[in-house]
Amino acid sequence: MAAFRARQVARIRDAVAAGRQAVRQADTRDRLTFARAFVDAGGPQVPGDRSGEASKALAERLMQAVTAGRTRAVDDPDLDRELLRAHNETDWALALDDERVIGFLLDLPEAALETPTVEALAHQSQGLGPGVFRKADILVLQPECDGARFIPVTDHDIEC
């Protein structure tokens, strides 16, 4: 399975930040708000795409799918990944202003946990517990983590 290159991860991270900011400014759960800002910042990436052409085509498919109200694309793993990102990141952006939410638990599919690097990520701790990431973090997952969800964690969920 192809992986995102370092430059792609950086581009995705920057575009997620732009998308989150757009959602927060609009104060809406509209996935299209995130997707527009994300695409404008060059966020959609096809793993390993060196020329950028496949990633540009992915951006077009993403905008068409979000505009049409699609939430999944089982026949297109790259589009499906970006549709899930739009869903997860829109919710994450709105949680940034919710004082009750302190982080997000990374919930990975069983198949992904069979990979040693993914298993290590699931057990990584940043002081909030294994697999819990601070809400200000921007986590760019490799394609081997496809299907991951982020579950909001409140201070009541954390054991002292």
Side-chain angles (χ1 to χ4, degrees):
M1 174 178 291
F4 292 120
R5 296 169 47 236
R7 288 184 199 164
Q8 290 181 298
V9 171
R11 182 166 241 175
I12 294 166
R13 185 175 287 114
D14 291 347
V16 166
R20 285 184 184 179
Q21 181 178 4
V23 168
R24 291 177 73 199
Q25 287 176 341
D27 193 26
T28 180
R29 194 171 299 281
D30 180 21
R31 314 280 185 236
L32 187 55
T33 301
F34 175 85
R36 280 188 185 125
F38 183 70
V39 166
D40 287 348
Q45 298 290 310
V46 172
D49 179 23
R50 292 184 180 272
S51 72
E53 293 304 313
S55 295
K56 287 179 187 173
L58 174 59
E60 291 174 17
R61 293 195 315 273
L62 175 62
M63 289 307 299
Q64 290 170 353
V66 173
T67 301
R70 291 181 60 194
T71 58
R72 297 301 305 263
V74 294
D75 57 327
D76 184 341
D78 294 323
L79 177 58
D80 195 49
R81 181 181 314 110
E82 297 306 342
L83 286 168
L84 288 173
R85 188 187 318 274
H87 174 81
N88 287 329
E89 292 296 345
T90 299
D91 290 345
W92 196 313
L94 293 173
L96 289 170
D97 295 323
D98 185 342
E99 292 181 15
R100 297 170 297 168
V101 176
I102 61 168
F104 286 87
L105 173 65
L106 176 60
D107 181 32
L108 291 157
E110 286 297 318
L113 290 171
E114 294 176 15
T115 307
T117 55
V118 175
E119 183 182 17
L121 178 65
H123 291 92
Q124 182 177 335
S125 181
Q126 299 179 2
L128 299 174
V132 179
F133 295 85
R134 298 185 186 282
K135 69 181 185 180
D137 290 346
I138 295 178
L139 192 61
V140 178
L141 300 173
Q142 289 291 343
E144 61 196 356
C145 298
D146 282 356
R149 297 179 316 132
F150 295 97
I151 301 168
V153 175
T154 65
D155 56 353
H156 298 299
D157 297 325
I158 303 294
E159 294 181 18
C160 296

